[in-house]
Amino acid sequence: MLLILRDKPDFPVEQIPSLPPPQISDNWPGYSLDLFTYPQHYYGDLEYVLIPHGIIVDRTERLAKDIMQDIGDNDIVVLCVLKGGYKFCADLVEHIKNLSRNSERFISMKVDFVRLKSYHNDQSMQDMQIMGGDDLSKLTGKDIVGTGRTMKVLLNNIEKCKPKMIKVASLLVKRTSRPDGYRPDYYGFEIPDLFVVGYALDYNEHFRDLNCYIFFSTYVLSMIMAKQNTESEAVTSSPEDLEAQ
C-alpha cells in the first residue's frame, strides 16, 4: 500500500526507533491445518498455515500506529493495489481511522484503487499491466512484495504526478538474494521465497477467501493445475468424445 502526502509536512517527523519486522525462517514448519477451520472444498490442496489470522490483525494494527506517528496531521490518498491487497488495505485503513478518532491527530484519507497484473498461475510475467487509478498522486497499499518489480513500475508512474511524499506499505516481503530487492517503508513480515495464498492472495482466483496465509508446495500446485486441465477438457469435450473414452 502506498501512502502519499498531498501537502508538504509542516512538522518534524519523529524518528522513533523500532524493532525490525518479524522474520519467518526458511525452516519454519508452520502450523498444522488441523489447528484451524477452513473451507472444505480446499481439503487436500493446502500444506500448512504460515501466518494465522490473529497475528495478521495485530501486526496490521502496529503498522497503522507507525504510519500515524510518521504522517501526522496531513491529508493522504490511499492507493490500494488490487486484487491481492484489498484485505490488507481495508484493515490498515480501518485501524488508521480508529487511531485517528481516539487521538489528537486527525488524518483525512481518500481511497482509490489500481490493478496490476504481473502473475500468470504462479509465475511472474515480464510485461506489466496497470489498470485504474484516476488520481495517482497518492499512497499505495499492497499485500506482498516479491522481487519488487511490480512496485517499481507503479512508483515510476506515480512519481510522474509529482506527489509531495510517497510511502509504501506491504504486509509481506519475500526474502530474496537479489541485491536490488525492493523494501517498502512499512511491512509486516519477512517470509521465505514461497508461493503463499490466502488473505486475498490467490492462485488463479482461488484461495482469496482464506483469512490467513497458507503455503502449498510445487507438487500441490502441479496437482491443482492437472485437475483444472482435466475439468477444462471435460467441459469442452463433446458427448461423442466422452462416449469414446
Side-chain angles (χ1 to χ4, degrees):
M1 176 164 125
L2 296 178
L3 302 172
I4 301 173
L5 289 184
R6 301 171 63 188
D7 301 301
K8 291 183 179 179
D10 54 3
F11 64 95
V13 177
E14 300 178 42
Q15 299 297 327
I16 301 176
S18 59
L19 295 174
Q23 296 185 0
I24 298 177
S25 65
D26 292 340
N27 58 357
W28 164 240
Y31 297 92
S32 171
L33 293 169
D34 295 335
L35 298 174
F36 304 90
T37 59
Y38 59 97
Q40 187 173 359
H41 56 273
Y42 292 146
Y43 285 11
D45 291 340
L46 308 172
E47 290 285 305
Y48 59 78
V49 174
L50 187 69
I51 308 175
H53 181 251
I55 298 178
I56 293 173
V57 172
D58 289 348
R59 184 67 183 136
T60 303
E61 185 174 7
R62 177 65 214 198
L63 291 177
K65 184 176 181 181
D66 292 343
I67 291 170
M68 281 282 294
Q69 291 176 337
D70 291 345
I71 298 301
D73 304 318
N74 287 270
D75 294 341
I76 61 174
V77 181
V78 178
L79 181 60
C80 176
V81 180
L82 300 174
K83 298 180 183 177
Y86 81 86
K87 286 183 69 69
F88 170 57
C89 183
D91 290 346
L92 184 62
V93 167
E94 190 63 28
H95 282 306
I96 293 175
K97 286 167 56 180
N98 290 337
L99 290 171
S100 180
R101 292 191 192 103
N102 296 299
S103 72
E104 296 180 355
R105 290 182 176 178
F106 176 76
I107 294 182
S108 175
M109 290 185 293
K110 293 183 179 180
V111 181
D112 201 351
F113 302 89
V114 66
R115 185 178 177 187
L116 309 177
K117 191 169 181 60
S118 60
Y119 273 83
H120 177 67
N121 294 334
D122 63 328
Q123 300 299 315
S124 179
M125 301 187 301
Q126 292 299 317
D127 296 328
M128 187 79 59
Q129 295 177 300
I130 301 178
M131 296 164 280
D134 295 332
D135 178 12
L136 288 180
S137 55
K138 52 198 76 182
L139 156 72
T140 306
K142 185 174 172 61
D143 203 34
I144 185 169
V145 173
T147 64
R149 187 175 62 87
T150 303
M151 185 55 64
K152 290 175 182 176
V153 171
L154 178 59
L155 288 174
N156 287 337
N157 280 269
I158 294 176
E159 287 170 354
K160 295 176 183 177
C161 300
K162 303 186 184 306
K164 302 302 181 183
M165 182 186 297
I166 304 174
K167 296 289 185 180
V168 179
S170 176
L171 191 53
L172 301 181
V173 170
K174 287 186 177 181
R175 192 159 44 250
T176 174
S177 59
R178 291 165 54 98
D180 60 342
Y182 179 79
R183 290 277 165 167
D185 301 282
Y186 309 96
Y187 62 96
F189 305 90
E190 181 184 289
I191 67 171
D193 191 8
L194 303 173
F195 192 79
V196 296
V197 295
Y199 200 66
L201 293 181
D202 75 305
Y203 171 74
N204 280 356
E205 298 301 327
H206 297 284
F207 307 107
R208 290 193 193 276
D209 53 332
L210 295 169
N211 66 358
C212 57
Y213 288 118
I214 295 183
F215 164 71
F216 51 60
S217 64
T218 304
Y219 170 75
V220 175
L221 281 174
S222 63
M223 293 295 291
I224 295 174
M225 291 175 66
K227 182 170 65 175
Q228 290 177 344
N229 291 337
T230 301
E231 292 173 351
S232 177
E233 290 174 0
V235 170
T236 57
S237 296
S238 65
E240 292 80 4
D241 292 333
L242 296 176
E243 289 176 0
Q245 294 172 6

Short mmCIF file of all heavy atoms in Angstrom, two decimals, residues 166-226:
data_model
loop_
_atom_site.label_atom_id
_atom_site.label_comp_id
_atom_site.label_asym_id
_atom_site.label_seq_id
_atom_site.Cartn_x
_atom_site.Cartn_y
_atom_site.Cartn_z
N ILE A 166 5.75 9.82 -0.96
CA ILE A 166 5.18 8.51 -1.21
C ILE A 166 5.73 7.53 -0.18
O ILE A 166 6.94 7.48 0.05
CB ILE A 166 5.51 7.98 -2.62
CG1 ILE A 166 5.06 8.96 -3.70
CG2 ILE A 166 4.87 6.62 -2.85
CD1 ILE A 166 5.49 8.55 -5.09
N LYS A 167 4.84 6.79 0.45
CA LYS A 167 5.22 5.73 1.37
C LYS A 167 4.54 4.44 0.93
O LYS A 167 3.38 4.45 0.53
CB LYS A 167 4.81 6.06 2.80
CG LYS A 167 5.50 7.28 3.41
CD LYS A 167 6.96 7.01 3.69
CE LYS A 167 7.61 8.19 4.41
NZ LYS A 167 9.04 7.92 4.70
N VAL A 168 5.27 3.34 1.01
CA VAL A 168 4.73 2.05 0.59
C VAL A 168 4.58 1.15 1.80
O VAL A 168 5.49 1.03 2.63
CB VAL A 168 5.66 1.37 -0.44
CG1 VAL A 168 5.10 0.01 -0.86
CG2 VAL A 168 5.85 2.26 -1.66
N ALA A 169 3.42 0.52 1.91
CA ALA A 169 3.15 -0.44 2.98
C ALA A 169 2.75 -1.77 2.37
O ALA A 169 1.92 -1.83 1.46
CB ALA A 169 2.02 0.07 3.89
N SER A 170 3.36 -2.83 2.85
CA SER A 170 3.06 -4.18 2.39
C SER A 170 3.05 -5.10 3.59
O SER A 170 3.89 -4.96 4.49
CB SER A 170 4.10 -4.65 1.37
OG SER A 170 3.87 -5.99 0.99
N LEU A 171 2.12 -6.02 3.62
CA LEU A 171 2.07 -6.92 4.77
C LEU A 171 3.18 -7.97 4.71
O LEU A 171 3.73 -8.36 5.73
CB LEU A 171 0.70 -7.61 4.84
CG LEU A 171 0.39 -8.37 6.12
CD1 LEU A 171 0.60 -7.50 7.34
CD2 LEU A 171 -1.03 -8.90 6.10
N LEU A 172 3.52 -8.42 3.50
CA LEU A 172 4.56 -9.44 3.34
C LEU A 172 5.67 -8.94 2.43
O LEU A 172 5.43 -8.24 1.46
CB LEU A 172 3.98 -10.72 2.73
CG LEU A 172 2.85 -11.43 3.48
CD1 LEU A 172 2.44 -12.69 2.72
CD2 LEU A 172 3.26 -11.77 4.90
N VAL A 173 6.89 -9.33 2.75
CA VAL A 173 8.04 -9.14 1.88
C VAL A 173 8.75 -10.48 1.76
O VAL A 173 9.06 -11.11 2.78
CB VAL A 173 9.02 -8.08 2.44
CG1 VAL A 173 10.31 -8.07 1.65
CG2 VAL A 173 8.39 -6.71 2.40
N LYS A 174 8.98 -10.90 0.53
CA LYS A 174 9.70 -12.16 0.32
C LYS A 174 11.21 -11.93 0.43
O LYS A 174 11.73 -10.98 -0.13
CB LYS A 174 9.36 -12.75 -1.04
CG LYS A 174 7.96 -13.35 -1.12
CD LYS A 174 7.74 -14.05 -2.45
CE LYS A 174 6.37 -14.70 -2.52
NZ LYS A 174 6.16 -15.40 -3.80
N ARG A 175 11.84 -12.84 1.15
CA ARG A 175 13.29 -12.78 1.27
C ARG A 175 13.92 -13.24 -0.04
O ARG A 175 13.60 -14.30 -0.56
CB ARG A 175 13.72 -13.68 2.43
CG ARG A 175 15.14 -13.50 2.86
CD ARG A 175 15.40 -14.02 4.28
NE ARG A 175 14.79 -15.30 4.55
CZ ARG A 175 13.75 -15.47 5.38
NH1 ARG A 175 13.20 -14.41 5.97
NH2 ARG A 175 13.25 -16.66 5.60
N THR A 176 14.81 -12.43 -0.58
CA THR A 176 15.41 -12.74 -1.87
C THR A 176 16.90 -12.45 -1.84
O THR A 176 17.36 -11.59 -1.07
CB THR A 176 14.75 -11.92 -3.00
OG1 THR A 176 15.44 -12.14 -4.23
CG2 THR A 176 14.77 -10.43 -2.69
N SER A 177 17.65 -13.17 -2.66
CA SER A 177 19.09 -12.96 -2.74
C SER A 177 19.45 -11.85 -3.72
O SER A 177 20.62 -11.48 -3.84
CB SER A 177 19.79 -14.26 -3.16
OG SER A 177 19.29 -14.70 -4.42
N ARG A 178 18.44 -11.30 -4.40
CA ARG A 178 18.70 -10.25 -5.38
C ARG A 178 19.21 -9.00 -4.67
O ARG A 178 18.59 -8.52 -3.72
CB ARG A 178 17.43 -9.90 -6.15
CG ARG A 178 16.96 -11.00 -7.10
CD ARG A 178 15.53 -10.71 -7.53
NE ARG A 178 15.39 -9.39 -8.09
CZ ARG A 178 15.39 -9.13 -9.40
NH1 ARG A 178 15.54 -10.11 -10.27
NH2 ARG A 178 15.24 -7.90 -9.85
N PRO A 179 20.33 -8.42 -5.13
CA PRO A 179 20.86 -7.23 -4.48
C PRO A 179 19.97 -6.01 -4.63
O PRO A 179 20.05 -5.08 -3.84
CB PRO A 179 22.22 -7.01 -5.17
CG PRO A 179 22.06 -7.67 -6.52
CD PRO A 179 21.16 -8.85 -6.27
N ASP A 180 19.11 -6.01 -5.65
CA ASP A 180 18.24 -4.86 -5.90
C ASP A 180 16.83 -5.13 -5.38
O ASP A 180 15.88 -4.48 -5.80
CB ASP A 180 18.18 -4.52 -7.38
CG ASP A 180 17.66 -5.69 -8.23
OD1 ASP A 180 17.67 -6.83 -7.72
OD2 ASP A 180 17.27 -5.46 -9.38
N GLY A 181 16.68 -6.08 -4.49
CA GLY A 181 15.36 -6.41 -3.95
C GLY A 181 14.72 -5.20 -3.29
O GLY A 181 15.36 -4.50 -2.50
N TYR A 182 13.47 -4.93 -3.61
CA TYR A 182 12.79 -3.73 -3.11
C TYR A 182 12.31 -3.94 -1.67
O TYR A 182 11.83 -5.03 -1.32
CB TYR A 182 11.61 -3.40 -4.01
CG TYR A 182 10.84 -2.18 -3.53
CD1 TYR A 182 11.31 -0.91 -3.79
CD2 TYR A 182 9.67 -2.33 -2.79
CE1 TYR A 182 10.63 0.21 -3.33
CE2 TYR A 182 9.00 -1.22 -2.34
CZ TYR A 182 9.47 0.05 -2.60
OH TYR A 182 8.81 1.15 -2.14
N ARG A 183 12.42 -2.92 -0.85
CA ARG A 183 11.93 -2.93 0.52
C ARG A 183 10.96 -1.78 0.72
O ARG A 183 11.32 -0.62 0.53
CB ARG A 183 13.09 -2.79 1.52
CG ARG A 183 13.98 -4.00 1.59
CD ARG A 183 13.40 -5.05 2.52
NE ARG A 183 14.05 -6.33 2.33
CZ ARG A 183 13.91 -7.34 3.17
NH1 ARG A 183 13.15 -7.22 4.24
NH2 ARG A 183 14.50 -8.50 2.93
N PRO A 184 9.71 -2.06 1.09
CA PRO A 184 8.75 -0.98 1.33
C PRO A 184 9.08 -0.23 2.61
O PRO A 184 9.89 -0.68 3.44
CB PRO A 184 7.41 -1.72 1.44
CG PRO A 184 7.77 -3.10 1.86
CD PRO A 184 9.12 -3.38 1.26
N ASP A 185 8.45 0.92 2.80
CA ASP A 185 8.68 1.72 4.01
C ASP A 185 8.10 1.05 5.25
O ASP A 185 8.66 1.18 6.34
CB ASP A 185 8.05 3.11 3.83
CG ASP A 185 8.62 3.85 2.63
OD1 ASP A 185 9.73 4.38 2.75
OD2 ASP A 185 7.96 3.86 1.57
N TYR A 186 7.00 0.36 5.07
CA TYR A 186 6.37 -0.37 6.17
C TYR A 186 6.02 -1.78 5.68
O TYR A 186 5.44 -1.93 4.61
CB TYR A 186 5.06 0.32 6.62
CG TYR A 186 5.20 1.80 6.89
CD1 TYR A 186 4.86 2.74 5.91
CD2 TYR A 186 5.63 2.27 8.12
CE1 TYR A 186 4.98 4.10 6.15
CE2 TYR A 186 5.75 3.63 8.37
CZ TYR A 186 5.42 4.54 7.38
OH TYR A 186 5.54 5.88 7.62
N TYR A 187 6.38 -2.77 6.44
CA TYR A 187 5.94 -4.12 6.09
C TYR A 187 5.79 -4.96 7.35
O TYR A 187 6.43 -4.73 8.37
CB TYR A 187 6.88 -4.78 5.08
CG TYR A 187 8.31 -4.99 5.50
CD1 TYR A 187 8.73 -6.22 6.03
CD2 TYR A 187 9.26 -3.99 5.33
CE1 TYR A 187 10.06 -6.43 6.38
CE2 TYR A 187 10.58 -4.20 5.67
CZ TYR A 187 10.98 -5.41 6.20
OH TYR A 187 12.28 -5.62 6.54
N GLY A 188 4.90 -5.93 7.25
CA GLY A 188 4.53 -6.71 8.43
C GLY A 188 5.44 -7.87 8.73
O GLY A 188 5.86 -8.05 9.88
N PHE A 189 5.75 -8.67 7.71
CA PHE A 189 6.54 -9.88 7.91
C PHE A 189 7.50 -10.07 6.74
O PHE A 189 7.17 -9.78 5.60
CB PHE A 189 5.63 -11.12 8.00
CG PHE A 189 4.56 -11.03 9.03
CD1 PHE A 189 3.31 -10.51 8.71
CD2 PHE A 189 4.78 -11.48 10.34
CE1 PHE A 189 2.30 -10.43 9.65
CE2 PHE A 189 3.78 -11.40 11.28
CZ PHE A 189 2.53 -10.88 10.95
N GLU A 190 8.67 -10.61 7.06
CA GLU A 190 9.58 -11.08 6.02
C GLU A 190 9.47 -12.60 5.97
O GLU A 190 9.64 -13.27 6.99
CB GLU A 190 11.02 -10.67 6.33
CG GLU A 190 12.02 -11.13 5.26
CD GLU A 190 13.45 -10.81 5.62
OE1 GLU A 190 13.80 -9.61 5.60
OE2 GLU A 190 14.20 -11.76 5.93
N ILE A 191 9.16 -13.13 4.79
CA ILE A 191 8.92 -14.56 4.67
C ILE A 191 9.89 -15.17 3.65
O ILE A 191 10.47 -14.45 2.84
CB ILE A 191 7.46 -14.85 4.24
CG1 ILE A 191 7.21 -14.34 2.81
CG2 ILE A 191 6.48 -14.25 5.23
CD1 ILE A 191 5.88 -14.77 2.23
N PRO A 192 10.08 -16.50 3.69
CA PRO A 192 10.89 -17.15 2.66
C PRO A 192 10.27 -16.96 1.28
O PRO A 192 9.12 -16.53 1.15
CB PRO A 192 10.87 -18.63 3.08
CG PRO A 192 10.49 -18.62 4.53
CD PRO A 192 9.59 -17.44 4.71
N ASP A 193 11.04 -17.28 0.26
CA ASP A 193 10.57 -17.13 -1.12
C ASP A 193 9.64 -18.29 -1.45
O ASP A 193 9.99 -19.22 -2.19
CB ASP A 193 11.76 -17.10 -2.07
CG ASP A 193 11.36 -16.69 -3.48
OD1 ASP A 193 10.19 -16.28 -3.67
OD2 ASP A 193 12.20 -16.79 -4.40
N LEU A 194 8.43 -18.22 -0.90
CA LEU A 194 7.42 -19.26 -1.08
C LEU A 194 6.22 -18.68 -1.81
O LEU A 194 5.97 -17.47 -1.78
CB LEU A 194 6.95 -19.81 0.28
CG LEU A 194 8.01 -20.39 1.21
CD1 LEU A 194 7.38 -20.71 2.56
CD2 LEU A 194 8.63 -21.63 0.60
N PHE A 195 5.45 -19.55 -2.43
CA PHE A 195 4.19 -19.12 -3.04
C PHE A 195 3.08 -19.33 -2.02
O PHE A 195 2.77 -20.46 -1.65
CB PHE A 195 3.89 -19.93 -4.31
CG PHE A 195 2.76 -19.35 -5.12
CD1 PHE A 195 2.97 -18.25 -5.94
CD2 PHE A 195 1.50 -19.89 -5.05
CE1 PHE A 195 1.93 -17.71 -6.67
CE2 PHE A 195 0.45 -19.35 -5.78
CZ PHE A 195 0.67 -18.26 -6.60
N VAL A 196 2.54 -18.23 -1.51
CA VAL A 196 1.52 -18.31 -0.46
C VAL A 196 0.19 -17.79 -0.98
O VAL A 196 0.14 -16.97 -1.91
CB VAL A 196 1.95 -17.52 0.80
CG1 VAL A 196 3.18 -18.12 1.43
CG2 VAL A 196 2.20 -16.05 0.46
N VAL A 197 -0.88 -18.27 -0.37
CA VAL A 197 -2.22 -17.84 -0.74
C VAL A 197 -2.99 -17.49 0.53
O VAL A 197 -2.56 -17.78 1.65
CB VAL A 197 -2.98 -18.94 -1.51
CG1 VAL A 197 -2.32 -19.21 -2.85
CG2 VAL A 197 -3.06 -20.23 -0.69
N GLY A 198 -4.15 -16.89 0.36
CA GLY A 198 -4.99 -16.52 1.48
C GLY A 198 -4.92 -15.03 1.77
O GLY A 198 -4.02 -14.33 1.31
N TYR A 199 -5.90 -14.55 2.55
CA TYR A 199 -5.97 -13.14 2.92
C TYR A 199 -5.90 -12.27 1.67
O TYR A 199 -5.19 -11.29 1.59
CB TYR A 199 -4.86 -12.80 3.91
CG TYR A 199 -5.11 -11.54 4.71
CD1 TYR A 199 -6.15 -11.48 5.63
CD2 TYR A 199 -4.29 -10.43 4.57
CE1 TYR A 199 -6.38 -10.33 6.37
CE2 TYR A 199 -4.50 -9.28 5.29
CZ TYR A 199 -5.56 -9.23 6.19
OH TYR A 199 -5.79 -8.08 6.91
N ALA A 200 -6.64 -12.69 0.64
CA ALA A 200 -6.81 -12.01 -0.66
C ALA A 200 -5.75 -12.39 -1.69
O ALA A 200 -5.90 -12.07 -2.87
CB ALA A 200 -6.87 -10.49 -0.52
N LEU A 201 -4.67 -13.07 -1.30
CA LEU A 201 -3.73 -13.59 -2.30
C LEU A 201 -4.31 -14.87 -2.90
O LEU A 201 -4.90 -15.68 -2.19
CB LEU A 201 -2.37 -13.89 -1.66
CG LEU A 201 -1.57 -12.69 -1.16
CD1 LEU A 201 -0.24 -13.15 -0.57
CD2 LEU A 201 -1.34 -11.66 -2.25
N ASP A 202 -4.10 -15.05 -4.20
CA ASP A 202 -4.78 -16.15 -4.88
C ASP A 202 -3.84 -17.00 -5.71
O ASP A 202 -2.67 -16.66 -5.92
CB ASP A 202 -5.86 -15.59 -5.81
CG ASP A 202 -5.25 -14.98 -7.08
OD1 ASP A 202 -4.38 -14.09 -6.96
OD2 ASP A 202 -5.62 -15.40 -8.18
N TYR A 203 -4.37 -18.11 -6.18
CA TYR A 203 -3.78 -18.88 -7.26
C TYR A 203 -4.87 -19.06 -8.30
O TYR A 203 -5.86 -19.77 -8.06
CB TYR A 203 -3.28 -20.24 -6.78
CG TYR A 203 -2.86 -21.14 -7.94
CD1 TYR A 203 -1.67 -20.89 -8.62
CD2 TYR A 203 -3.68 -22.16 -8.38
CE1 TYR A 203 -1.30 -21.66 -9.70
CE2 TYR A 203 -3.31 -22.95 -9.46
CZ TYR A 203 -2.12 -22.71 -10.12
OH TYR A 203 -1.76 -23.47 -11.19
N ASN A 204 -4.76 -18.33 -9.42
CA ASN A 204 -5.80 -18.36 -10.46
C ASN A 204 -7.20 -18.11 -9.88
O ASN A 204 -8.15 -18.83 -10.19
CB ASN A 204 -5.75 -19.68 -11.22
CG ASN A 204 -4.66 -19.70 -12.27
OD1 ASN A 204 -3.97 -18.70 -12.49
ND2 ASN A 204 -4.48 -20.83 -12.92
N GLU A 205 -7.29 -17.08 -9.01
CA GLU A 205 -8.55 -16.63 -8.41
C GLU A 205 -9.08 -17.56 -7.31
O GLU A 205 -10.13 -17.29 -6.74
CB GLU A 205 -9.64 -16.41 -9.46
CG GLU A 205 -9.30 -15.34 -10.49
CD GLU A 205 -9.03 -13.99 -9.86
OE1 GLU A 205 -9.68 -13.67 -8.84
OE2 GLU A 205 -8.18 -13.26 -10.38
N HIS A 206 -8.36 -18.60 -6.98
CA HIS A 206 -8.76 -19.47 -5.88
C HIS A 206 -8.01 -19.08 -4.60
O HIS A 206 -6.93 -18.50 -4.66
CB HIS A 206 -8.46 -20.94 -6.21
CG HIS A 206 -9.22 -21.47 -7.39
ND1 HIS A 206 -10.56 -21.80 -7.32
CD2 HIS A 206 -8.84 -21.70 -8.67
CE1 HIS A 206 -10.96 -22.23 -8.52
NE2 HIS A 206 -9.93 -22.17 -9.35
N PHE A 207 -8.60 -19.38 -3.46
CA PHE A 207 -7.99 -19.24 -2.13
C PHE A 207 -8.01 -17.82 -1.58
O PHE A 207 -7.50 -17.58 -0.49
CB PHE A 207 -6.55 -19.76 -2.11
CG PHE A 207 -6.39 -21.16 -2.63
CD1 PHE A 207 -5.81 -21.38 -3.88
CD2 PHE A 207 -6.84 -22.24 -1.91
CE1 PHE A 207 -5.67 -22.66 -4.37
CE2 PHE A 207 -6.71 -23.54 -2.39
CZ PHE A 207 -6.11 -23.75 -3.62
N ARG A 208 -8.58 -16.84 -2.28
CA ARG A 208 -8.64 -15.48 -1.75
C ARG A 208 -9.45 -15.41 -0.46
O ARG A 208 -9.22 -14.53 0.38
CB ARG A 208 -9.26 -14.52 -2.77
CG ARG A 208 -8.42 -14.22 -3.99
CD ARG A 208 -9.00 -13.04 -4.76
NE ARG A 208 -8.43 -12.90 -6.08
CZ ARG A 208 -7.29 -12.28 -6.35
NH1 ARG A 208 -6.59 -11.76 -5.36
NH2 ARG A 208 -6.84 -12.19 -7.59
N ASP A 209 -10.41 -16.31 -0.30
CA ASP A 209 -11.33 -16.24 0.83
C ASP A 209 -10.74 -16.76 2.13
O ASP A 209 -11.37 -16.64 3.19
CB ASP A 209 -12.62 -17.01 0.51
CG ASP A 209 -12.35 -18.43 0.07
OD1 ASP A 209 -11.27 -18.69 -0.50
OD2 ASP A 209 -13.22 -19.29 0.27
N LEU A 210 -9.56 -17.34 2.12
CA LEU A 210 -8.92 -17.77 3.36
C LEU A 210 -8.51 -16.54 4.17
O LEU A 210 -8.03 -15.55 3.62
CB LEU A 210 -7.67 -18.62 3.05
CG LEU A 210 -7.93 -19.95 2.34
CD1 LEU A 210 -6.61 -20.54 1.85
CD2 LEU A 210 -8.64 -20.93 3.27
N ASN A 211 -8.68 -16.59 5.51
CA ASN A 211 -8.38 -15.41 6.33
C ASN A 211 -6.99 -15.46 6.96
O ASN A 211 -6.70 -14.72 7.89
CB ASN A 211 -9.45 -15.22 7.40
CG ASN A 211 -9.47 -16.35 8.42
OD1 ASN A 211 -8.70 -17.30 8.32
ND2 ASN A 211 -10.34 -16.25 9.40
N CYS A 212 -6.13 -16.36 6.45
CA CYS A 212 -4.76 -16.43 6.92
C CYS A 212 -3.88 -16.75 5.71
O CYS A 212 -4.38 -16.97 4.61
CB CYS A 212 -4.59 -17.50 8.00
SG CYS A 212 -5.11 -19.15 7.47
N TYR A 213 -2.55 -16.73 5.93
CA TYR A 213 -1.63 -17.07 4.84
C TYR A 213 -1.28 -18.55 4.92
O TYR A 213 -0.86 -19.04 5.97
CB TYR A 213 -0.35 -16.23 4.92
CG TYR A 213 -0.56 -14.80 4.53
CD1 TYR A 213 -0.34 -13.77 5.44
CD2 TYR A 213 -0.99 -14.46 3.26
CE1 TYR A 213 -0.51 -12.45 5.09
CE2 TYR A 213 -1.18 -13.13 2.90
CZ TYR A 213 -0.94 -12.14 3.81
OH TYR A 213 -1.13 -10.84 3.46
N ILE A 214 -1.43 -19.24 3.80
CA ILE A 214 -1.18 -20.68 3.75
C ILE A 214 -0.23 -20.97 2.59
O ILE A 214 -0.34 -20.39 1.51
CB ILE A 214 -2.49 -21.46 3.59
CG1 ILE A 214 -3.38 -21.26 4.82
CG2 ILE A 214 -2.24 -22.95 3.36
CD1 ILE A 214 -4.67 -22.03 4.81
N PHE A 215 0.69 -21.90 2.83
CA PHE A 215 1.64 -22.32 1.81
C PHE A 215 1.22 -23.65 1.22
O PHE A 215 0.73 -24.53 1.91
CB PHE A 215 3.04 -22.46 2.42
CG PHE A 215 4.01 -23.24 1.56
CD1 PHE A 215 4.50 -22.69 0.40
CD2 PHE A 215 4.39 -24.51 1.92
CE1 PHE A 215 5.39 -23.40 -0.41
CE2 PHE A 215 5.28 -25.23 1.13
CZ PHE A 215 5.78 -24.67 -0.02
N PHE A 216 1.36 -23.77 -0.10
CA PHE A 216 1.29 -25.10 -0.69
C PHE A 216 2.43 -25.28 -1.67
O PHE A 216 2.90 -24.35 -2.30
CB PHE A 216 -0.06 -25.44 -1.32
CG PHE A 216 -0.63 -24.45 -2.27
CD1 PHE A 216 0.03 -24.09 -3.44
CD2 PHE A 216 -1.86 -23.89 -2.03
CE1 PHE A 216 -0.53 -23.21 -4.33
CE2 PHE A 216 -2.42 -23.00 -2.92
CZ PHE A 216 -1.77 -22.65 -4.06
N SER A 217 2.90 -26.52 -1.76
CA SER A 217 4.14 -26.84 -2.45
C SER A 217 3.96 -26.88 -3.96
O SER A 217 2.85 -26.85 -4.48
CB SER A 217 4.68 -28.19 -1.97
OG SER A 217 3.77 -29.22 -2.33
N THR A 218 5.10 -26.98 -4.66
CA THR A 218 5.07 -27.12 -6.11
C THR A 218 4.30 -28.37 -6.52
O THR A 218 3.58 -28.37 -7.53
CB THR A 218 6.50 -27.18 -6.66
OG1 THR A 218 7.22 -26.02 -6.23
CG2 THR A 218 6.50 -27.24 -8.18
N TYR A 219 4.42 -29.42 -5.72
CA TYR A 219 3.69 -30.66 -6.03
C TYR A 219 2.18 -30.41 -5.99
O TYR A 219 1.45 -30.83 -6.89
CB TYR A 219 4.06 -31.75 -5.04
CG TYR A 219 3.20 -32.99 -5.13
CD1 TYR A 219 3.36 -33.89 -6.18
CD2 TYR A 219 2.21 -33.24 -4.19
CE1 TYR A 219 2.57 -35.02 -6.28
CE2 TYR A 219 1.40 -34.36 -4.29
CZ TYR A 219 1.59 -35.25 -5.33
OH TYR A 219 0.79 -36.36 -5.42
N VAL A 220 1.73 -29.71 -4.95
CA VAL A 220 0.30 -29.43 -4.85
C VAL A 220 -0.15 -28.54 -5.99
O VAL A 220 -1.22 -28.72 -6.57
CB VAL A 220 -0.03 -28.78 -3.48
CG1 VAL A 220 -1.49 -28.36 -3.42
CG2 VAL A 220 0.29 -29.74 -2.36
N LEU A 221 0.69 -27.54 -6.36
CA LEU A 221 0.36 -26.67 -7.48
C LEU A 221 0.20 -27.48 -8.77
O LEU A 221 -0.75 -27.27 -9.53
CB LEU A 221 1.47 -25.63 -7.69
CG LEU A 221 1.48 -24.42 -6.76
CD1 LEU A 221 2.72 -23.59 -7.02
CD2 LEU A 221 0.23 -23.59 -6.93
N SER A 222 1.10 -28.41 -9.00
CA SER A 222 1.01 -29.23 -10.22
C SER A 222 -0.24 -30.10 -10.20
O SER A 222 -0.87 -30.31 -11.23
CB SER A 222 2.26 -30.09 -10.36
OG SER A 222 2.38 -31.01 -9.29
N MET A 223 -0.62 -30.59 -9.01
CA MET A 223 -1.83 -31.40 -8.90
C MET A 223 -3.07 -30.56 -9.20
O MET A 223 -4.00 -31.01 -9.88
CB MET A 223 -1.93 -32.02 -7.50
CG MET A 223 -0.85 -33.04 -7.20
SD MET A 223 -0.96 -34.51 -8.25
CE MET A 223 -2.46 -35.25 -7.62
N ILE A 224 -3.11 -29.32 -8.69
CA ILE A 224 -4.24 -28.44 -8.94
C ILE A 224 -4.33 -28.10 -10.42
O ILE A 224 -5.42 -28.11 -11.02
CB ILE A 224 -4.12 -27.15 -8.09
CG1 ILE A 224 -4.22 -27.48 -6.60
CG2 ILE A 224 -5.19 -26.15 -8.47
CD1 ILE A 224 -3.97 -26.31 -5.70
N MET A 225 -3.18 -27.80 -11.03
CA MET A 225 -3.18 -27.47 -12.46
C MET A 225 -3.66 -28.66 -13.29
O MET A 225 -4.43 -28.50 -14.23
CB MET A 225 -1.78 -27.07 -12.89
CG MET A 225 -1.30 -25.75 -12.31
SD MET A 225 0.42 -25.36 -12.74
CE MET A 225 0.26 -25.15 -14.50
N ALA A 226 -3.23 -29.87 -12.91
CA ALA A 226 -3.68 -31.06 -13.63
C ALA A 226 -5.17 -31.26 -13.49
O ALA A 226 -5.88 -31.60 -14.45
CB ALA A 226 -2.92 -32.29 -13.12
#
